[in-house]
Amino acid sequence: MKLKKIKVAIDSPAAAGAGTISKMLAKHYNLLYCDTGKIYRYLAKKLIQKKPKNKISYLKKISKKVDLKKLKDKTLINDEVAYTASQIAKDLRVRKSVLKFQRKLAYNPPPSYNGSILDGRDIGTIVIKDADFKFYITASIKIRATRRFKELKKLGKKVKFEEILKSMKKRDREDRTRKHSKLKKAANSTLINTSGLSIKNSFLKVKKIMDSKLN
Ligand code: C5P
């Protein structure tokens, strides 16, 4: 089946299953995938390590040459990095620089791909406003915190559920109320609540919607 190049925008709060579903969609439709939260996490980790004098100009500089392979680094999955990421993500100058990188990926995926899929907080509202498909993936806070708890445990981290829940609530609140690029559902996106769904069934639900438009 030959598809026209498509752009898929996925937004979600933390640990709603969006990353896993996006990866499955990317594989199924042969789309370039980018978890944009990992870009902010990557910048956050660099900031924590290097402690530059001028944070913003440093972040702007390194956001120009992010290597997608580096975003797979497992050390990006920890609470300090996530929180620092949400702090730097509030800054419009940083966001503008990251936006350029994201749009390059979304609008110019390598020719071997059938298109692109990006997930984050502002993909359907800002980054790919004209996406062919927009989904807002969510789940209850308890379920999301449980998923993150299990994910961190699997990585061998000593974590407490209550702490995960608390920091997730805080990050959610900040992402939803910040001045720029607030986390919100785009008006023309489809809401997918994964609370009672397995990952496979969540994927199938999204796939069914996409296939009905593609075929
Ligand atoms: O998705 P993830 O939890 O890895 O994102 C880390 C943080 O990066 C989020 O809490 C959010 O503040 C920020 N982010 C953002 N815009 C995106 C993706 C992530 O502001 N498109």
Side-chain angles (χ1 to χ4, degrees), residues 3-7 31 107 109-116 132:
L3 298 167
K4 83 166 179 72
K5 293 249 178 206
I6 56 169
K7 297 184 288 298
L31 306 171
Y107 289 88
S112 57
Y113 290 102
N114 294 325
S116 59
D132 303 277

Side-chain angles (χ1 to χ4, degrees), residues 36-37 40-41 85-86 89 95 120-123 171 175 178:
T36 64
Y40 290 99
R41 284 175 185 253
S86 71
R95 295 206 76 84
R121 303 290 188 281
D122 61 340
I123 309 302
R171 199 148 62 88
D175 286 348
R178 68 187 177 202

Side-chain angles (χ1 to χ4, degrees), residues 8-12 18-19 21-22 25 117-124 133-137 206:
V8 186
I10 311 271
D11 287 302
S12 76
I21 296 165
S22 301
L25 293 167
I117 177 165
L118 270 60
D119 78 58
R121 303 290 188 281
D122 61 340
I123 309 302
F133 298 95
K134 292 185 185 183
F135 295 97
Y136 186 85
I137 297 180
V206 176

Side-chain angles (χ1 to χ4, degrees), residues 49-94:
Q49 284 174 338
K50 303 266 175 183
K51 300 183 180 49
K53 265 198 200 125
N54 188 332
K55 288 183 189 173
I56 302 301
S57 64
Y58 175 74
L59 291 174
K60 277 169 71 177
K61 193 174 113 200
I62 61 168
S63 64
K64 288 198 181 93
K65 43 177 187 188
V66 178
D67 177 354
L68 280 184
K69 282 189 211 110
K70 294 216 169 115
L71 305 184
K72 289 188 180 150
D73 179 2
K74 292 272 185 253
T75 65
L76 297 180
I77 309 172
N78 83 55
D79 242 29
E80 186 197 4
V81 171
Y83 187 69
T84 308
S86 71
Q87 297 309 299
I88 62 174
K90 286 181 188 169
D91 194 292
L92 191 58
R93 294 162 295 177
V94 176

